[in-house]
Amino acid sequence: MGLTSETTVYVMAAVAAICVALLVWLWPRLAKQGVWQVLGRLAAVGVAQVTIIAAFACWLNSSYQFFGSWGELFGNVDTAPVGVTQAGGNNDGGAITGVSVKGALIQPNGNEQLNRVSGLPTGNPAVNGRVESVKVIGRRTGVVDPAFVYLPPQYFQKAYHRQRFPVIVALSGYPGSIFNLAQYLRVSQTAGELQKSGQMQPTIMVMIRPTIAPPRDTECVNVPGGPQTETFLAKDLPDALKANYRVGHDATAWGVMGYSSGGTCALQLTMRNPHVYTTAGALSPDYKIKDDATTGNLFGSGLGRVNRINGHDLMWRLKHLPVPQVSVLVADSKHGEKGYPQTLAFIKAVKAPMRVVSILPDNGSHNFPTWVREMPATLKWMNQQLTFPQDVVPRHLPKPKPGHTTVRASGQEPSEAPTRRR
């Protein structure tokens, strides 16, 4: 009985109802004076309250997927043996059936969460695409993190069977989950619709959470003596995807996006690792990572602490370090979100060769309805910045033309943006 299953929710609700009924039934018997009766009343009320809270917590977790398993709830992180296996595909009715990930750094995962997501592609993957539930194993860090991978229809078509594809990695906020990315942010559904209508070139979407050591929020930091989140997302994840999917090997084919702390992470990864990610989309991000009650001490102690803190302060980096040649999109609402002044300051601080555009709606809160509104424009703009990989064998295969729709930057009219070239 999984932590996120509906069965768990129903069982906990039934237990809570039984405890409340027992409380009502036993109360007259516990109404007498005496130490044992008083203790009995306290115990009965306490048990009823605990079961009610537990039932509500199970329902809330099942709805928002804060913790995907009992192990995660109690802080037990999965580990797995490391080994790289190059995967391949087989022909099936004119389509490539996908990749075999058994024994690789990307392995099949249970479909419990995926089965609860609405609007995912079904039927022939060569026509509709497919979303796979996998777990990513970090070769350097030993981290095992669940992910959903959206593969566009072209990935399964014979005409593209030697073609590599651009990649956009989508990161959840904290505590967040890949379920939130798929169900509430609708990453794969939105990308599929845009690609089907020709507004976005065929792109692989990878939905993953940056919370690699739950319940701790490690942001995108390599914690001294602790979780190595940046290494996992900037090295392990790209290596695992390149070993198991037909994705581009050059950084110009890689982008990363996210909402809330996931947006903060997207900016951090791109500005700190421009040789890995060249494009970022950040919805309601922060521009500096700080210690708080959920993170603990992220930067260690000693002489290197100040440098580590400054290194994760993007405004400090823009002022004191060479500016990376990357493109970023930031989104924040003028009314309803606290980060709008910081976003304006960040936009003003960016200088060449870095490029920034923005989505600045008049109203919107720090929630999924706001981010869903911003998703189509974000994905289209990011996709325009990514190069459709040239590493094609044989090289005479046709190359789809990328889209050319951009979002409006602050104070600018929409304009055509050329696809980045190597």
Side-chain angles (χ1 to χ4, degrees), residues 252-289:
T252 58
W254 285 72
V256 57
M257 65 160 294
Y259 65 89
S260 190
S261 61
T264 304
C265 189
L267 289 177
Q268 294 275 340
L269 286 171
T270 302
M271 292 182 64
R272 289 172 56 88
N273 303 274
H275 58 288
V276 180
Y277 300 102
T278 56
T279 302
L283 311 181
S284 306
D286 291 321
Y287 302 94
K288 181 178 181 179
I289 294 177

PDB file of all heavy atoms in Angstrom, residues 252-289:
ATOM      1  N   THR A 252      24.391  23.684 -26.505  1.00  0.00           N
ATOM      2  CA  THR A 252      23.419  24.530 -27.195  1.00  0.00           C
ATOM      3  C   THR A 252      22.089  23.826 -27.402  1.00  0.00           C
ATOM      4  O   THR A 252      21.110  24.454 -27.792  1.00  0.00           O
ATOM      5  CB  THR A 252      23.958  24.973 -28.559  1.00  0.00           C
ATOM      6  OG1 THR A 252      24.261  23.813 -29.355  1.00  0.00           O
ATOM      7  CG2 THR A 252      25.206  25.818 -28.403  1.00  0.00           C
ATOM      8  N   ALA A 253      22.032  22.516 -27.143  1.00  0.00           N
ATOM      9  CA  ALA A 253      20.784  21.758 -27.262  1.00  0.00           C
ATOM     10  C   ALA A 253      20.112  21.528 -25.918  1.00  0.00           C
ATOM     11  O   ALA A 253      19.121  20.816 -25.842  1.00  0.00           O
ATOM     12  CB  ALA A 253      21.048  20.404 -27.940  1.00  0.00           C
ATOM     13  N   TRP A 254      20.639  22.168 -24.852  1.00  0.00           N
ATOM     14  CA  TRP A 254      20.156  21.892 -23.507  1.00  0.00           C
ATOM     15  C   TRP A 254      19.650  23.148 -22.818  1.00  0.00           C
ATOM     16  O   TRP A 254      20.330  24.173 -22.778  1.00  0.00           O
ATOM     17  CB  TRP A 254      21.278  21.276 -22.654  1.00  0.00           C
ATOM     18  CG  TRP A 254      21.552  19.846 -23.001  1.00  0.00           C
ATOM     19  CD1 TRP A 254      22.164  19.374 -24.122  1.00  0.00           C
ATOM     20  CD2 TRP A 254      21.199  18.698 -22.224  1.00  0.00           C
ATOM     21  NE1 TRP A 254      22.226  18.008 -24.097  1.00  0.00           N
ATOM     22  CE2 TRP A 254      21.644  17.553 -22.941  1.00  0.00           C
ATOM     23  CE3 TRP A 254      20.567  18.522 -20.991  1.00  0.00           C
ATOM     24  CZ2 TRP A 254      21.455  16.262 -22.448  1.00  0.00           C
ATOM     25  CZ3 TRP A 254      20.381  17.233 -20.509  1.00  0.00           C
ATOM     26  CH2 TRP A 254      20.825  16.122 -21.240  1.00  0.00           C
ATOM     27  N   GLY A 255      18.429  23.040 -22.253  1.00  0.00           N
ATOM     28  CA  GLY A 255      17.860  24.113 -21.455  1.00  0.00           C
ATOM     29  C   GLY A 255      17.286  23.557 -20.169  1.00  0.00           C
ATOM     30  O   GLY A 255      17.038  22.355 -20.047  1.00  0.00           O
ATOM     31  N   VAL A 256      17.059  24.430 -19.194  1.00  0.00           N
ATOM     32  CA  VAL A 256      16.494  24.010 -17.912  1.00  0.00           C
ATOM     33  C   VAL A 256      15.527  25.084 -17.439  1.00  0.00           C
ATOM     34  O   VAL A 256      15.772  26.283 -17.589  1.00  0.00           O
ATOM     35  CB  VAL A 256      17.606  23.762 -16.865  1.00  0.00           C
ATOM     36  CG1 VAL A 256      18.479  24.985 -16.664  1.00  0.00           C
ATOM     37  CG2 VAL A 256      17.027  23.283 -15.542  1.00  0.00           C
ATOM     38  N   MET A 257      14.395  24.658 -16.908  1.00  0.00           N
ATOM     39  CA  MET A 257      13.380  25.590 -16.429  1.00  0.00           C
ATOM     40  C   MET A 257      12.820  25.092 -15.103  1.00  0.00           C
ATOM     41  O   MET A 257      13.048  23.954 -14.694  1.00  0.00           O
ATOM     42  CB  MET A 257      12.246  25.719 -17.444  1.00  0.00           C
ATOM     43  CG  MET A 257      11.461  24.437 -17.647  1.00  0.00           C
ATOM     44  SD  MET A 257       9.835  24.712 -18.361  1.00  0.00           S
ATOM     45  CE  MET A 257       9.053  25.617 -17.028  1.00  0.00           C
ATOM     46  N   GLY A 258      12.071  25.947 -14.407  1.00  0.00           N
ATOM     47  CA  GLY A 258      11.459  25.537 -13.159  1.00  0.00           C
ATOM     48  C   GLY A 258      10.600  26.641 -12.589  1.00  0.00           C
ATOM     49  O   GLY A 258      10.610  27.781 -13.063  1.00  0.00           O
ATOM     50  N   TYR A 259       9.828  26.291 -11.567  1.00  0.00           N
ATOM     51  CA  TYR A 259       8.991  27.260 -10.882  1.00  0.00           C
ATOM     52  C   TYR A 259       9.436  27.382  -9.428  1.00  0.00           C
ATOM     53  O   TYR A 259       9.954  26.439  -8.839  1.00  0.00           O
ATOM     54  CB  TYR A 259       7.515  26.863 -10.954  1.00  0.00           C
ATOM     55  CG  TYR A 259       7.180  25.576 -10.212  1.00  0.00           C
ATOM     56  CD1 TYR A 259       6.828  25.596  -8.863  1.00  0.00           C
ATOM     57  CD2 TYR A 259       7.210  24.352 -10.859  1.00  0.00           C
ATOM     58  CE1 TYR A 259       6.526  24.423  -8.182  1.00  0.00           C
ATOM     59  CE2 TYR A 259       6.909  23.171 -10.187  1.00  0.00           C
ATOM     60  CZ  TYR A 259       6.564  23.226  -8.844  1.00  0.00           C
ATOM     61  OH  TYR A 259       6.271  22.056  -8.172  1.00  0.00           O
ATOM     62  N   SER A 260       9.267  28.568  -8.861  1.00  0.00           N
ATOM     63  CA  SER A 260       9.635  28.834  -7.469  1.00  0.00           C
ATOM     64  C   SER A 260      11.112  28.467  -7.240  1.00  0.00           C
ATOM     65  O   SER A 260      11.975  28.930  -7.989  1.00  0.00           O
ATOM     66  CB  SER A 260       8.693  28.071  -6.531  1.00  0.00           C
ATOM     67  OG  SER A 260       8.867  28.475  -5.185  1.00  0.00           O
ATOM     68  N   SER A 261      11.419  27.634  -6.251  1.00  0.00           N
ATOM     69  CA  SER A 261      12.825  27.284  -6.022  1.00  0.00           C
ATOM     70  C   SER A 261      13.402  26.501  -7.199  1.00  0.00           C
ATOM     71  O   SER A 261      14.621  26.499  -7.415  1.00  0.00           O
ATOM     72  CB  SER A 261      12.978  26.484  -4.731  1.00  0.00           C
ATOM     73  OG  SER A 261      12.262  25.268  -4.785  1.00  0.00           O
ATOM     74  N   GLY A 262      12.540  25.840  -7.987  1.00  0.00           N
ATOM     75  CA  GLY A 262      13.008  25.192  -9.215  1.00  0.00           C
ATOM     76  C   GLY A 262      13.455  26.205 -10.246  1.00  0.00           C
ATOM     77  O   GLY A 262      14.395  25.959 -11.020  1.00  0.00           O
ATOM     78  N   GLY A 263      12.788  27.376 -10.280  1.00  0.00           N
ATOM     79  CA  GLY A 263      13.228  28.456 -11.161  1.00  0.00           C
ATOM     80  C   GLY A 263      14.545  29.045 -10.695  1.00  0.00           C
ATOM     81  O   GLY A 263      15.419  29.374 -11.506  1.00  0.00           O
ATOM     82  N   THR A 264      14.698  29.180  -9.375  1.00  0.00           N
ATOM     83  CA  THR A 264      15.979  29.615  -8.826  1.00  0.00           C
ATOM     84  C   THR A 264      17.089  28.669  -9.237  1.00  0.00           C
ATOM     85  O   THR A 264      18.175  29.086  -9.664  1.00  0.00           O
ATOM     86  CB  THR A 264      15.898  29.666  -7.284  1.00  0.00           C
ATOM     87  OG1 THR A 264      14.818  30.508  -6.892  1.00  0.00           O
ATOM     88  CG2 THR A 264      17.196  30.162  -6.681  1.00  0.00           C
ATOM     89  N   CYS A 265      16.802  27.381  -9.146  1.00  0.00           N
ATOM     90  CA  CYS A 265      17.780  26.359  -9.517  1.00  0.00           C
ATOM     91  C   CYS A 265      18.122  26.434 -10.997  1.00  0.00           C
ATOM     92  O   CYS A 265      19.276  26.279 -11.386  1.00  0.00           O
ATOM     93  CB  CYS A 265      17.217  24.978  -9.162  1.00  0.00           C
ATOM     94  SG  CYS A 265      18.392  23.631  -9.332  1.00  0.00           S
ATOM     95  N   ALA A 266      17.121  26.689 -11.849  1.00  0.00           N
ATOM     96  CA  ALA A 266      17.372  26.787 -13.286  1.00  0.00           C
ATOM     97  C   ALA A 266      18.344  27.913 -13.604  1.00  0.00           C
ATOM     98  O   ALA A 266      19.268  27.752 -14.416  1.00  0.00           O
ATOM     99  CB  ALA A 266      16.052  26.992 -14.031  1.00  0.00           C
ATOM    100  N   LEU A 267      18.159  29.060 -12.972  1.00  0.00           N
ATOM    101  CA  LEU A 267      19.085  30.175 -13.188  1.00  0.00           C
ATOM    102  C   LEU A 267      20.477  29.843 -12.669  1.00  0.00           C
ATOM    103  O   LEU A 267      21.485  30.127 -13.325  1.00  0.00           O
ATOM    104  CB  LEU A 267      18.564  31.428 -12.488  1.00  0.00           C
ATOM    105  CG  LEU A 267      17.330  32.103 -13.082  1.00  0.00           C
ATOM    106  CD1 LEU A 267      16.915  33.287 -12.223  1.00  0.00           C
ATOM    107  CD2 LEU A 267      17.581  32.553 -14.516  1.00  0.00           C
ATOM    108  N   GLN A 268      20.539  29.248 -11.488  1.00  0.00           N
ATOM    109  CA  GLN A 268      21.824  28.881 -10.910  1.00  0.00           C
ATOM    110  C   GLN A 268      22.581  27.913 -11.817  1.00  0.00           C
ATOM    111  O   GLN A 268      23.781  28.093 -12.097  1.00  0.00           O
ATOM    112  CB  GLN A 268      21.611  28.237  -9.540  1.00  0.00           C
ATOM    113  CG  GLN A 268      21.048  29.159  -8.472  1.00  0.00           C
ATOM    114  CD  GLN A 268      22.117  29.974  -7.769  1.00  0.00           C
ATOM    115  OE1 GLN A 268      23.296  29.633  -7.798  1.00  0.00           O
ATOM    116  NE2 GLN A 268      21.711  31.062  -7.128  1.00  0.00           N
ATOM    117  N   LEU A 269      21.892  26.875 -12.274  1.00  0.00           N
ATOM    118  CA  LEU A 269      22.551  25.870 -13.120  1.00  0.00           C
ATOM    119  C   LEU A 269      23.082  26.484 -14.410  1.00  0.00           C
ATOM    120  O   LEU A 269      24.195  26.170 -14.850  1.00  0.00           O
ATOM    121  CB  LEU A 269      21.570  24.742 -13.447  1.00  0.00           C
ATOM    122  CG  LEU A 269      21.246  23.768 -12.317  1.00  0.00           C
ATOM    123  CD1 LEU A 269      20.111  22.844 -12.725  1.00  0.00           C
ATOM    124  CD2 LEU A 269      22.475  22.945 -11.938  1.00  0.00           C
ATOM    125  N   THR A 270      22.292  27.360 -15.013  1.00  0.00           N
ATOM    126  CA  THR A 270      22.685  27.927 -16.304  1.00  0.00           C
ATOM    127  C   THR A 270      23.831  28.923 -16.157  1.00  0.00           C
ATOM    128  O   THR A 270      24.791  28.895 -16.929  1.00  0.00           O
ATOM    129  CB  THR A 270      21.470  28.600 -16.961  1.00  0.00           C
ATOM    130  OG1 THR A 270      20.428  27.637 -17.107  1.00  0.00           O
ATOM    131  CG2 THR A 270      21.829  29.156 -18.329  1.00  0.00           C
ATOM    132  N   MET A 271      23.762  29.781 -15.173  1.00  0.00           N
ATOM    133  CA  MET A 271      24.804  30.788 -15.013  1.00  0.00           C
ATOM    134  C   MET A 271      26.094  30.201 -14.449  1.00  0.00           C
ATOM    135  O   MET A 271      27.186  30.697 -14.737  1.00  0.00           O
ATOM    136  CB  MET A 271      24.298  31.923 -14.122  1.00  0.00           C
ATOM    137  CG  MET A 271      23.200  32.751 -14.775  1.00  0.00           C
ATOM    138  SD  MET A 271      22.620  34.135 -13.754  1.00  0.00           S
ATOM    139  CE  MET A 271      24.119  35.134 -13.656  1.00  0.00           C
ATOM    140  N   ARG A 272      25.989  29.134 -13.673  1.00  0.00           N
ATOM    141  CA  ARG A 272      27.180  28.516 -13.090  1.00  0.00           C
ATOM    142  C   ARG A 272      27.754  27.407 -13.972  1.00  0.00           C
ATOM    143  O   ARG A 272      28.924  27.051 -13.825  1.00  0.00           O
ATOM    144  CB  ARG A 272      26.843  27.937 -11.714  1.00  0.00           C
ATOM    145  CG  ARG A 272      26.588  29.001 -10.645  1.00  0.00           C
ATOM    146  CD  ARG A 272      26.069  28.382  -9.339  1.00  0.00           C
ATOM    147  NE  ARG A 272      26.981  27.370  -8.846  1.00  0.00           N
ATOM    148  CZ  ARG A 272      28.028  27.599  -8.043  1.00  0.00           C
ATOM    149  NH1 ARG A 272      28.298  28.846  -7.662  1.00  0.00           N
ATOM    150  NH2 ARG A 272      28.797  26.619  -7.614  1.00  0.00           N
ATOM    151  N   ASN A 273      26.928  26.875 -14.879  1.00  0.00           N
ATOM    152  CA  ASN A 273      27.362  25.762 -15.737  1.00  0.00           C
ATOM    153  C   ASN A 273      26.964  26.017 -17.191  1.00  0.00           C
ATOM    154  O   ASN A 273      26.203  25.243 -17.789  1.00  0.00           O
ATOM    155  CB  ASN A 273      26.744  24.447 -15.251  1.00  0.00           C
ATOM    156  CG  ASN A 273      27.086  24.137 -13.809  1.00  0.00           C
ATOM    157  OD1 ASN A 273      28.123  23.558 -13.512  1.00  0.00           O
ATOM    158  ND2 ASN A 273      26.194  24.523 -12.896  1.00  0.00           N
ATOM    159  N   PRO A 274      27.452  27.107 -17.802  1.00  0.00           N
ATOM    160  CA  PRO A 274      27.048  27.427 -19.178  1.00  0.00           C
ATOM    161  C   PRO A 274      27.540  26.418 -20.202  1.00  0.00           C
ATOM    162  O   PRO A 274      27.057  26.434 -21.339  1.00  0.00           O
ATOM    163  CB  PRO A 274      27.683  28.807 -19.402  1.00  0.00           C
ATOM    164  CG  PRO A 274      28.845  28.850 -18.461  1.00  0.00           C
ATOM    165  CD  PRO A 274      28.408  28.081 -17.251  1.00  0.00           C
ATOM    166  N   HIS A 275      28.490  25.547 -19.817  1.00  0.00           N
ATOM    167  CA  HIS A 275      28.950  24.496 -20.707  1.00  0.00           C
ATOM    168  C   HIS A 275      27.999  23.307 -20.712  1.00  0.00           C
ATOM    169  O   HIS A 275      28.166  22.379 -21.499  1.00  0.00           O
ATOM    170  CB  HIS A 275      30.336  24.020 -20.268  1.00  0.00           C
ATOM    171  CG  HIS A 275      30.371  23.508 -18.868  1.00  0.00           C
ATOM    172  ND1 HIS A 275      30.270  24.353 -17.776  1.00  0.00           N
ATOM    173  CD2 HIS A 275      30.478  22.251 -18.366  1.00  0.00           C
ATOM    174  CE1 HIS A 275      30.315  23.628 -16.667  1.00  0.00           C
ATOM    175  NE2 HIS A 275      30.442  22.365 -16.998  1.00  0.00           N
ATOM    176  N   VAL A 276      26.977  23.337 -19.830  1.00  0.00           N
ATOM    177  CA  VAL A 276      25.987  22.258 -19.749  1.00  0.00           C
ATOM    178  C   VAL A 276      24.623  22.747 -20.220  1.00  0.00           C
ATOM    179  O   VAL A 276      23.971  22.114 -21.053  1.00  0.00           O
ATOM    180  CB  VAL A 276      25.874  21.716 -18.310  1.00  0.00           C
ATOM    181  CG1 VAL A 276      24.832  20.597 -18.232  1.00  0.00           C
ATOM    182  CG2 VAL A 276      27.227  21.209 -17.822  1.00  0.00           C
ATOM    183  N   TYR A 277      24.165  23.878 -19.673  1.00  0.00           N
ATOM    184  CA  TYR A 277      22.878  24.469 -20.032  1.00  0.00           C
ATOM    185  C   TYR A 277      23.117  25.882 -20.558  1.00  0.00           C
ATOM    186  O   TYR A 277      23.783  26.686 -19.907  1.00  0.00           O
ATOM    187  CB  TYR A 277      21.953  24.550 -18.818  1.00  0.00           C
ATOM    188  CG  TYR A 277      21.634  23.221 -18.178  1.00  0.00           C
ATOM    189  CD1 TYR A 277      22.268  22.814 -16.996  1.00  0.00           C
ATOM    190  CD2 TYR A 277      20.691  22.367 -18.735  1.00  0.00           C
ATOM    191  CE1 TYR A 277      21.965  21.603 -16.399  1.00  0.00           C
ATOM    192  CE2 TYR A 277      20.383  21.142 -18.141  1.00  0.00           C
ATOM    193  CZ  TYR A 277      21.022  20.771 -16.976  1.00  0.00           C
ATOM    194  OH  TYR A 277      20.727  19.571 -16.374  1.00  0.00           O
ATOM    195  N   THR A 278      22.545  26.182 -21.719  1.00  0.00           N
ATOM    196  CA  THR A 278      22.733  27.514 -22.293  1.00  0.00           C
ATOM    197  C   THR A 278      21.465  28.354 -22.253  1.00  0.00           C
ATOM    198  O   THR A 278      21.499  29.525 -22.616  1.00  0.00           O
ATOM    199  CB  THR A 278      23.190  27.402 -23.756  1.00  0.00           C
ATOM    200  OG1 THR A 278      22.242  26.608 -24.492  1.00  0.00           O
ATOM    201  CG2 THR A 278      24.564  26.764 -23.852  1.00  0.00           C
ATOM    202  N   THR A 279      20.353  27.773 -21.800  1.00  0.00           N
ATOM    203  CA  THR A 279      19.081  28.483 -21.768  1.00  0.00           C
ATOM    204  C   THR A 279      18.339  28.132 -20.485  1.00  0.00           C
ATOM    205  O   THR A 279      18.310  26.966 -20.081  1.00  0.00           O
ATOM    206  CB  THR A 279      18.210  28.107 -22.980  1.00  0.00           C
ATOM    207  OG1 THR A 279      18.929  28.406 -24.183  1.00  0.00           O
ATOM    208  CG2 THR A 279      16.907  28.878 -22.982  1.00  0.00           C
ATOM    209  N   ALA A 280      17.731  29.139 -19.847  1.00  0.00           N
ATOM    210  CA  ALA A 280      16.971  28.904 -18.618  1.00  0.00           C
ATOM    211  C   ALA A 280      15.637  29.632 -18.688  1.00  0.00           C
ATOM    212  O   ALA A 280      15.543  30.735 -19.230  1.00  0.00           O
ATOM    213  CB  ALA A 280      17.760  29.371 -17.392  1.00  0.00           C
ATOM    214  N   GLY A 281      14.615  29.018 -18.109  1.00  0.00           N
ATOM    215  CA  GLY A 281      13.318  29.650 -17.917  1.00  0.00           C
ATOM    216  C   GLY A 281      12.976  29.584 -16.442  1.00  0.00           C
ATOM    217  O   GLY A 281      12.863  28.491 -15.885  1.00  0.00           O
ATOM    218  N   ALA A 282      12.826  30.728 -15.788  1.00  0.00           N
ATOM    219  CA  ALA A 282      12.625  30.772 -14.340  1.00  0.00           C
ATOM    220  C   ALA A 282      11.309  31.468 -14.021  1.00  0.00           C
ATOM    221  O   ALA A 282      11.163  32.673 -14.263  1.00  0.00           O
ATOM    222  CB  ALA A 282      13.792  31.487 -13.662  1.00  0.00           C
ATOM    223  N   LEU A 283      10.353  30.724 -13.480  1.00  0.00           N
ATOM    224  CA  LEU A 283       9.059  31.267 -13.095  1.00  0.00           C
ATOM    225  C   LEU A 283       9.065  31.544 -11.595  1.00  0.00           C
ATOM    226  O   LEU A 283       9.200  30.630 -10.789  1.00  0.00           O
ATOM    227  CB  LEU A 283       7.940  30.273 -13.452  1.00  0.00           C
ATOM    228  CG  LEU A 283       7.972  29.697 -14.878  1.00  0.00           C
ATOM    229  CD1 LEU A 283       6.793  28.761 -15.100  1.00  0.00           C
ATOM    230  CD2 LEU A 283       8.003  30.796 -15.915  1.00  0.00           C
ATOM    231  N   SER A 284       8.945  32.801 -11.231  1.00  0.00           N
ATOM    232  CA  SER A 284       8.930  33.243  -9.828  1.00  0.00           C
ATOM    233  C   SER A 284      10.170  32.790  -9.067  1.00  0.00           C
ATOM    234  O   SER A 284      10.065  32.161  -8.010  1.00  0.00           O
ATOM    235  CB  SER A 284       7.667  32.720  -9.117  1.00  0.00           C
ATOM    236  OG  SER A 284       6.494  33.076  -9.807  1.00  0.00           O
ATOM    237  N   PRO A 285      11.355  33.099  -9.555  1.00  0.00           N
ATOM    238  CA  PRO A 285      12.571  32.633  -8.881  1.00  0.00           C
ATOM    239  C   PRO A 285      13.056  33.598  -7.807  1.00  0.00           C
ATOM    240  O   PRO A 285      12.581  34.734  -7.689  1.00  0.00           O
ATOM    241  CB  PRO A 285      13.584  32.581 -10.026  1.00  0.00           C
ATOM    242  CG  PRO A 285      13.198  33.769 -10.870  1.00  0.00           C
ATOM    243  CD  PRO A 285      11.685  33.835 -10.800  1.00  0.00           C
ATOM    244  N   ASP A 286      14.019  33.149  -7.028  1.00  0.00           N
ATOM    245  CA  ASP A 286      14.843  34.020  -6.210  1.00  0.00           C
ATOM    246  C   ASP A 286      16.201  34.128  -6.894  1.00  0.00           C
ATOM    247  O   ASP A 286      16.547  33.303  -7.747  1.00  0.00           O
ATOM    248  CB  ASP A 286      15.023  33.457  -4.797  1.00  0.00           C
ATOM    249  CG  ASP A 286      13.735  33.495  -3.992  1.00  0.00           C
ATOM    250  OD1 ASP A 286      13.000  34.487  -4.105  1.00  0.00           O
ATOM    251  OD2 ASP A 286      13.459  32.517  -3.263  1.00  0.00           O
ATOM    252  N   TYR A 287      16.984  35.113  -6.499  1.00  0.00           N
ATOM    253  CA  TYR A 287      18.262  35.345  -7.155  1.00  0.00           C
ATOM    254  C   TYR A 287      19.443  35.140  -6.213  1.00  0.00           C
ATOM    255  O   TYR A 287      20.581  35.368  -6.597  1.00  0.00           O
ATOM    256  CB  TYR A 287      18.276  36.746  -7.765  1.00  0.00           C
ATOM    257  CG  TYR A 287      17.132  36.920  -8.745  1.00  0.00           C
ATOM    258  CD1 TYR A 287      15.923  37.473  -8.340  1.00  0.00           C
ATOM    259  CD2 TYR A 287      17.234  36.450 -10.048  1.00  0.00           C
ATOM    260  CE1 TYR A 287      14.854  37.576  -9.226  1.00  0.00           C
ATOM    261  CE2 TYR A 287      16.175  36.551 -10.941  1.00  0.00           C
ATOM    262  CZ  TYR A 287      14.985  37.119 -10.518  1.00  0.00           C
ATOM    263  OH  TYR A 287      13.930  37.206 -11.388  1.00  0.00           O
ATOM    264  N   LYS A 288      19.122  34.679  -5.020  1.00  0.00           N
ATOM    265  CA  LYS A 288      20.162  34.369  -4.046  1.00  0.00           C
ATOM    266  C   LYS A 288      19.689  33.207  -3.187  1.00  0.00           C
ATOM    267  O   LYS A 288      18.535  33.170  -2.762  1.00  0.00           O
ATOM    268  CB  LYS A 288      20.454  35.583  -3.162  1.00  0.00           C
ATOM    269  CG  LYS A 288      21.543  35.346  -2.130  1.00  0.00           C
ATOM    270  CD  LYS A 288      21.809  36.609  -1.318  1.00  0.00           C
ATOM    271  CE  LYS A 288      22.929  36.390  -0.301  1.00  0.00           C
ATOM    272  NZ  LYS A 288      23.207  37.612   0.483  1.00  0.00           N
ATOM    273  N   ILE A 289      20.563  32.243  -2.953  1.00  0.00           N
ATOM    274  CA  ILE A 289      20.231  31.101  -2.108  1.00  0.00           C
ATOM    275  C   ILE A 289      20.691  31.386  -0.690  1.00  0.00           C
ATOM    276  O   ILE A 289      21.833  31.797  -0.465  1.00  0.00           O
ATOM    277  CB  ILE A 289      20.880  29.810  -2.649  1.00  0.00           C
ATOM    278  CG1 ILE A 289      20.256  29.447  -4.001  1.00  0.00           C
ATOM    279  CG2 ILE A 289      20.719  28.667  -1.666  1.00  0.00           C
ATOM    280  CD1 ILE A 289      20.871  28.230  -4.647  1.00  0.00           C
TER     281      ILE A 289
END
